[in-house]
Amino acid sequence: MKLSDLNIGDRAVIVKVAGHGGFRKRIVEMGFIKGKVVEVVKAAPLKDPIEYSIMGYNVTLRRSEADKVEVIGVEEAAAKAKELFDADYHGVITEEDIRRVAFEERKEIKVALVGNPNCGKTSLFNMVSGQHQKVGNYSGVTVDAKAGEFSFKGYKINIVDLPGTYSLSAYSPEERYVRGHIQEESPDVIVNVVDASNLERNLFLTTQLIDMNVRTVIALNMYDELEARGDRFDYKTLGRLIGIPIVPTVSPKRIGLDELFETVINVYEGADYMDSDGRLLHAADGDELLDEQYHEMGLPHKHTVKGRSDLAGKGEDTVRHIHINYGACIERAIGEIKAVMAKYTAIADEFTPRYVAIKLLEHDAEMEQTVNRYINSERVMEARDRAEARVRAEMKDSPENVIADARYGFIAGALRETFTPHVEERGKTVTARVDRILTHRYLGFPIFLVFLFAMFECTFILGAYPQEWIEVGMGALGSFVAGHMPDGVLKDLVVDGIIAGVGGVLVFLPNILILYLFITVMEASGYMARVAFIMDKVMHHVGLHGRSFIPMIMGFGCSVPAIMATRTIENRNSRMVTILVTPLMSCSARLPIYLLFTAVFFPKHAGLVLFAIYMVGVLLAGVMAKVFKRFLFPKEETPFVMELPPYRMPTVKVMLRDTWDKCEQYLRKIGTTILVGSVIIWALSYFPRYEAQAGEDELTAMQVQQSQSYLGRIGHFIEPAMRPCGFDWKTSVALLSGISAKEIVVSTIGILYNAGDDEAALSEKVATELNADGTRAFTPAIAVSLMLFVLIYVPCVATIATIKNETGSWWWALFAAVYTVVLAWVVSFCVYQSVVHNVWQEVLAGAAIVTAVYIAGRAVYRRLKHPKDGCGSGCEGCKIQGKC
């Protein structure tokens, strides 16, 4: 219940005060702290503000301010006190009993994890919350907030893993999201996760949290790597210098996590007894209840630590708020803006005045919009403009650059006193030595292709054995059910619809598991970031940059998270192009179809064919990106900046856990979407029933049944459009069913060809099945055409919905569906017709000649437009090089 919900005359006990900045400082100093009784005296004629009585005197709060104070009614508190403390109840509910109830009610802490990409936030989140979120050793893996909860020392901790961000400047989607969450959700404590191996860069974000004046604890993550390098770091002294407790952690090993959340509790509980500068409030003097609570929890309190101000510091005075000194010029500008705000606007109740002034000097667009909502905001903006002009005149630079330099100077000064690096010759680290090979100018790209080829070969070879086991198991299950159920519709549904449909997809689970294992290793080890680095030049030729390749390579697993990962791309045009081409990357749902047809028609070169199919998807994605960038999104892309984190050996636990998470999603999909789709396909092929004529053999009757069923009618309707690509009505129906989920294509083929749940039987049917006219239902040419069509055509319904959510428009989702279908038909038509008419060699030769001419012509054009040496005549190329 909020304080604003009380009626006149109601009394309540304060449980928690949310918010931060100037509002929190003022309201806590007025006595609105946990356990205090507050009474509603009266409201203004317009119901705002409201007068309250607390600690013997009356104060007024606006309703918006009262919304940030959580309370529990005195009567409700008394009832709970009787229930909770029945053993101590002697007929009278004391004020101390009511306050103890308030303490129990507030044992729910909102924690937000904030940090740079690749600092270990998500690993820490997974360890403490038990949720297995995606962990990747490259920038931007967390593209949205993940929420979890856990219990610790009697507290319920609601923890949110926010997207990785380098700053809070509100330039990128991640920066806006993180800053918005801190400002709007008001977490009780911010856990700033800092990568111990890159302190200077990570602490830049910490300086911005200091400016925001939010309650913060630093988790010094990956501390074992710092120690392994031989670095010496006095983190306790640094914590005292910056006024924030620092706790060393190693998330994957759970080292330091208990100490971290003990400190979180300390900061949470102690903050209500201190002002925003860390000074002890007089209202807290003599409060024995807090000491009793801390004594029961085994946390530092006045019986074990000298001085009440030590509540959050394990004996060290670390809970205090400092101001980063930005130099005399900037500080004078901040003071001038604060003075105008104090005189003309109430924004200081929403943010600290200093933070607002700093963001205005940095020309922060969101802060400018916030200030403009207040009356007399033009006076504040005028003061900002005057201060900025003076800074530019005195410093010969913009305030934003001066502030950034001061922050780095503050970090450098603090680290100079506390951090002593182990001197190691440049280029001698393991990461540097490995990078000399994996990111080599000439070797990097071939190594990546070899890695992909090995991944697909292993998918076939290693997946073959468990695939046989599942096949035998599903066959035995189908035989058992068929032998014990009476003949009828229900038996046909269970055996031919459910077991055959689901079993035909489940058999490919080992192959998908291996594929996901390889992708997990790439993500967790840091190699994924190197792939983006070596692909940057290639991506640049299609108008994108290497960061776009991260979502695209993730598309090998699933298109839905891959498209969501495009949020890390700052430029909207590049993000839109990446979203539209990512479905062309072959997701794992298409893998069962490839495995079926490559094993039947190309058994000796299955891995190579599979590799080629995937590379065709990559190539088409590049071509379509070039087209979209040229005609739909012609603006220039943003510069490519990609962090190359140190290589880390992923633990077996992390690899198995993340791979199993993906496997679990696949199994869940089998039990829902694929199951329902298989049943629908079976029903459409089963009804209406056809009665066999006298003397008609069973095979003929079955073919007539399928042809006259609802599914057959649909297939015959669309067959004329698909026949040029080599597809009969059965294949056309299978492709149509794949719109819901690509795995259903295999289920549909199994149902239509009565192959049951036996993969060997399905393979035999695919290899030998004849059409009514005696022609082969499938040939190598049809198989290639079909695999290419499946690779390209409309992604699943979930992907279409994700495109709509990420672009904010159904039109782009519809466009993605239409263009992929058209492109799939064109490519399949060209491939099938060229093979059937035995002109595929001529087609390939022609394509090679056209490509070579294009590359040569483009090179000549670029040399003429941008000559290597300046001609001195003022041409465009010379202007670019500054030679004219």
Side-chain angles (χ1 to χ4, degrees):
M1 181 167 56
K2 304 298 183 183
L3 183 60
S4 58
D5 297 331
L6 299 179
N7 298 316
I8 296 176
D10 288 350
R11 298 174 70 244
V13 186
I14 296 175
V15 173
K16 180 189 298 187
V17 178
H20 42 256
F23 161 75
R24 181 175 178 82
K25 177 179 180 179
R26 180 170 61 86
I27 199 170
V28 170
E29 289 176 340
M30 289 164 54
F32 284 83
I33 57 178
K34 58 187 176 186
K36 297 302 179 182
V37 177
V38 59
E39 181 179 355
V40 185
V41 178
K42 62 183 178 182
L46 298 178
K47 305 299 182 182
D48 199 10
I50 304 172
E51 184 178 343
Y52 298 96
S53 175
I54 186 170
M55 297 176 63
Y57 66 97
N58 293 358
V59 297
T60 59
L61 294 179
R62 289 191 292 269
R63 188 171 293 274
S64 60
E65 297 172 333
D67 277 337
K68 297 180 179 179
V69 182
E70 186 178 330
V71 298
I72 180 172
V74 169
E75 295 181 359
E76 182 183 354
K80 288 192 175 183
K82 183 177 180 180
E83 178 183 346
L84 293 173
F85 315 123
D86 189 58
D88 300 331
Y89 179 60
H90 303 293
V92 178
I93 301 296
T94 66
E95 183 176 341
E96 182 175 318
D97 292 331
I98 293 176
R99 294 174 66 198
R100 291 175 70 185
V101 170
F103 272 61
E104 291 296 326
E105 288 289 316
R106 68 178 272 109
K107 287 190 174 182
E108 184 170 338
I109 308 176
K110 294 192 297 183
V111 175
L113 297 181
V114 176
N116 287 187
N118 197 49
C119 68
K121 287 188 301 84
T122 305
S123 295
L124 192 154
F125 173 80
N126 290 340
M127 282 296 173
V128 297
S129 71
Q131 296 196 26
H132 300 155
Q133 299 299 335
K134 185 181 189 63
V135 181
N137 195 24
Y138 58 89
S139 174
V141 70
T142 308
V143 295
D144 203 350
K146 308 294 189 301
E149 62 181 47
F150 65 99
S151 297
F152 182 78
K153 294 205 170 186
Y155 283 79
K156 177 183 177 183
I157 298 180
N158 297 314
I159 187 168
V160 177
D161 178 22
L162 296 175
T165 179
Y166 293 107
S167 72
L168 300 176
S169 300
Y171 292 143
S172 70
E174 294 78 25
E175 293 170 356
R176 288 192 293 271
Y177 190 98
V178 173
R179 200 170 90 178
H181 183 91
I182 294 174
Q183 293 174 350
E184 296 166 13
E185 300 298 327
S186 296
D188 297 313
V189 180
I190 302 292
V191 173
N192 178 204
V193 185
V194 170
D195 181 358
S197 64
N198 203 331
L199 290 169
E200 187 170 6
R201 189 200 65 203
N202 280 247
L203 289 173
F204 184 81
L205 178 62
T206 307
T207 61
Q208 295 180 314
L209 293 173
I210 291 174
D211 286 337
M212 290 188 77
N213 191 10
V214 290
R215 287 177 286 182
T216 306
V217 176
I218 290 179
L220 190 62
N221 208 24
M222 307 177 194
Y223 192 69
D224 55 338
E225 295 185 9
L226 182 146
E227 293 181 315
R229 290 199 310 267
D231 298 340
R232 293 199 304 270
F233 184 33
D234 186 359
Y235 61 87
K236 294 182 179 180
T237 298
L238 179 64
R240 287 194 295 269
L241 289 174
I242 66 177
I244 298 176
I246 300 178
V247 181
T249 60
V250 183
S251 298
K253 301 177 182 178
R254 296 195 64 90
I255 296 175
L257 298 188
D258 287 348
E259 292 81 357
L260 174 65
F261 286 97
E262 278 186 8
T263 307
V264 167
I265 294 173
N266 278 321
V267 170
Y268 171 70
E269 293 292 0
D272 282 349
Y273 291 86
M274 301 174 192
D275 65 15
S276 62
D277 293 324
R279 292 187 295 266
L280 180 68
L281 296 175
H282 294 296
D285 289 344
D287 193 335
E288 300 297 330
L289 185 57
L290 181 66
D291 290 308
E292 178 185 336
Q293 183 191 22
Y294 271 58
H295 183 75
E296 292 175 355
M297 291 164 50
L299 297 175
H301 56 291
K302 79 173 185 178
H303 295 140
T304 58
V305 177
K306 181 181 179 181
R308 232 10 190 316
S309 62
D310 297 330
L311 283 173
K314 296 246 179 197
E316 299 175 16
D317 185 16
T318 57
V319 179
R320 62 192 182 93
H321 180 64
I322 67 168
H323 288 163
I324 298 173
N325 192 317
Y326 291 111
C329 186
I330 293 291
E331 291 295 334
R332 187 163 61 252
I334 292 173
E336 293 172 359
I337 298 173
K338 285 172 59 179
V340 175
M341 283 192 295
K343 187 175 181 180
Y344 292 107
T345 179
I347 192 174
D349 289 343
E350 187 174 353
F351 307 96
T352 58
R354 180 179 177 83
Y355 175 67
V356 177
I358 291 172
K359 300 315 289 183
L360 289 179
L361 286 172
E362 291 179 326
H363 274 274
D364 186 274
E366 287 195 358
M367 185 58 72
E368 289 177 349
Q369 293 175 2
T370 301
V371 171
N372 286 331
R373 294 201 303 263
Y374 288 85
I375 301 174
N376 295 322
S377 61
E378 67 277 0
R379 296 182 181 271
V380 178
M381 303 306 291
E382 289 171 2
R384 189 277 307 271
D385 293 340
R386 289 194 300 270
E388 180 188 4
R390 195 187 67 254
V391 170
R392 289 182 179 274
E394 294 182 13
M395 305 298 293
K396 307 300 181 184
D397 203 349
S398 68
E400 183 177 8
N401 291 339
V402 175
I403 291 172
D405 290 343
R407 284 179 176 145
Y408 277 117
F410 171 80
I411 295 168
L415 291 179
R416 192 176 296 116
E417 295 186 33
T418 57
F419 180 68
T420 304
H422 174 68
V423 179
E424 185 170 13
E425 188 178 345
R426 182 179 177 87
K428 294 296 185 180
T429 63
V430 174
T431 295
R433 290 196 296 267
V434 174
D435 268 344
R436 278 202 292 267
I437 300 174
L438 295 186
T439 61
H440 190 271
R441 181 178 180 182
Y442 300 110
L443 298 179
F445 193 73
I447 289 174
F448 171 56
L449 294 180
V450 170
F451 179 86
L452 288 184
F453 179 73
M455 177 174 70
F456 298 131
E457 279 290 320
C458 291
T459 298
F460 265 103
I461 297 173
L462 299 180
Y465 302 103
Q467 192 175 8
E468 293 178 3
W469 305 335
I470 297 176
E471 182 182 333
V472 172
M474 295 302 298
L477 177 62
S479 300
F480 175 81
V481 173
H484 289 78
M485 286 188 69
D487 293 338
V489 177
L490 182 60
K491 176 182 177 180
D492 293 340
L493 169 63
V494 174
V495 176
D496 298 329
I498 297 177
I499 297 179
V502 172
V505 177
L506 184 63
V507 72
F508 296 105
L509 176 62
N511 308 92
I512 292 174
L513 200 63
I514 294 170
L515 178 67
Y516 273 132
L517 179 62
F518 273 89
I519 294 177
T520 298
V521 171
M522 289 177 67
E523 294 173 350
S525 65
Y527 183 55
M528 186 75 86
R530 271 69 185 181
V531 171
F533 176 77
I534 63 178
M535 289 297 296
D536 178 49
K537 188 171 183 179
V538 177
M539 299 298 290
H540 181 74
H541 284 302
V542 299
L544 300 174
H545 50 61
R547 181 170 289 180
S548 294
F549 196 69
I550 294 285
M552 293 171 67
I553 201 74
M554 288 174 64
F556 285 160
C558 180
S559 296
V560 172
I563 290 173
M564 293 175 65
T566 59
R567 298 176 189 174
T568 62
I569 303 172
E570 292 88 351
N571 182 274
R572 180 185 179 275
N573 288 345
S574 296
R575 185 164 63 252
M576 290 293 296
V577 173
T578 308
I579 288 173
L580 293 177
V581 302
T582 295
L584 296 175
M585 308 297 288
S586 190
C587 67
S588 61
R590 299 171 167 100
L591 187 58
I593 307 166
Y594 304 153
L595 295 175
L596 173 63
F597 285 94
T598 52
V600 171
F601 294 103
F602 313 101
K604 295 183 178 179
H605 306 287
L608 183 60
V609 173
L610 186 61
F611 174 74
I613 291 291
Y614 275 76
M615 287 301 101
V616 168
V618 175
L619 178 63
L620 286 175
V623 171
M624 296 311 299
K626 184 73 172 178
V627 172
F628 294 151
K629 195 69 177 176
R630 175 70 175 82
F631 296 103
L632 297 180
F633 308 97
K635 292 184 179 180
E636 281 297 314
E637 76 277 8
T638 55
F640 170 65
V641 179
M642 171 63 70
E643 175 193 1
L644 294 180
Y647 288 104
R648 295 189 176 95
M649 180 62 69
T651 63
V652 175
K653 181 179 180 181
V654 168
M655 289 190 295
L656 294 181
R657 185 189 64 200
D658 290 353
T659 304
W660 169 249
D661 286 344
K662 299 178 179 75
C663 172
E664 187 179 24
Q665 295 171 9
Y666 184 73
L667 290 173
R668 193 179 299 116
K669 191 175 182 181
I670 289 177
T672 54
T673 306
I674 296 172
L675 174 62
V676 173
S678 298
V679 171
I680 293 174
I681 294 298
W682 171 86
L684 291 174
S685 67
Y686 194 82
F687 299 104
R689 299 300 295 162
Y690 169 74
E691 297 296 333
Q693 304 298 318
E696 190 174 34
D697 63 84
E698 182 179 352
L699 179 61
T700 303
M702 180 183 64
Q703 292 176 341
V704 175
Q705 160 66 36
Q706 289 184 342
S707 180
Q708 295 184 359
S709 66
Y710 296 124
L711 196 63
R713 297 172 189 179
I714 295 172
H716 287 301
F717 177 76
I718 64 176
E719 182 183 17
M722 306 301 289
R723 177 59 72 178
C725 298
F727 310 144
D728 61 8
W729 71 267
K730 293 182 181 179
T731 306
S732 303
V733 167
L735 291 171
L736 185 63
S737 68
I739 294 176
S740 59
K742 293 295 179 287
E743 297 94 337
I744 297 180
V745 172
V746 174
S747 301
T748 305
I749 292 175
I751 291 171
L752 291 175
Y753 287 103
N754 298 296
D757 53 8
D758 189 345
E759 199 234 340
L762 178 58
S763 299
E764 184 179 353
K765 287 282 187 178
V766 169
T768 61
E769 188 71 15
L770 298 178
N771 293 319
D773 58 0
T775 59
R776 293 276 299 278
F778 292 102
T779 64
I782 296 175
V784 172
S785 177
L786 177 60
M787 288 189 288
L788 289 173
F789 199 96
V790 169
L791 165 71
I792 304 168
Y793 88 117
V794 58
C796 65
V797 173
T799 302
I800 293 295
T802 304
I803 293 176
K804 183 267 175 184
N805 292 335
E806 295 303 310
T807 60
S809 170
W810 278 112
W811 287 108
W812 286 117
L814 181 62
F815 174 77
V818 171
Y819 102 78
T820 51
V821 171
V822 174
L823 181 63
W825 192 93
V826 171
V827 172
S828 294
F829 171 81
C830 294
V831 170
Y832 177 72
Q833 294 297 331
S834 64
V835 173
V836 168
H837 294 93
N838 200 27
V839 295
W840 62 273
Q841 293 175 329
E842 289 81 353
V843 171
L844 289 178
I849 293 173
V850 170
T851 303
V853 170
Y854 170 77
I855 294 175
R858 182 175 177 82
V860 172
Y861 169 77
R862 288 172 65 87
R863 176 56 61 87
L864 292 175
K865 189 176 181 181
H866 310 300
K868 185 174 182 180
D869 298 316
C871 63
S873 62
C875 69
E876 184 177 355
C878 292
K879 289 178 181 178
I880 291 175
Q881 299 181 47
K883 296 180 178 179
C884 288

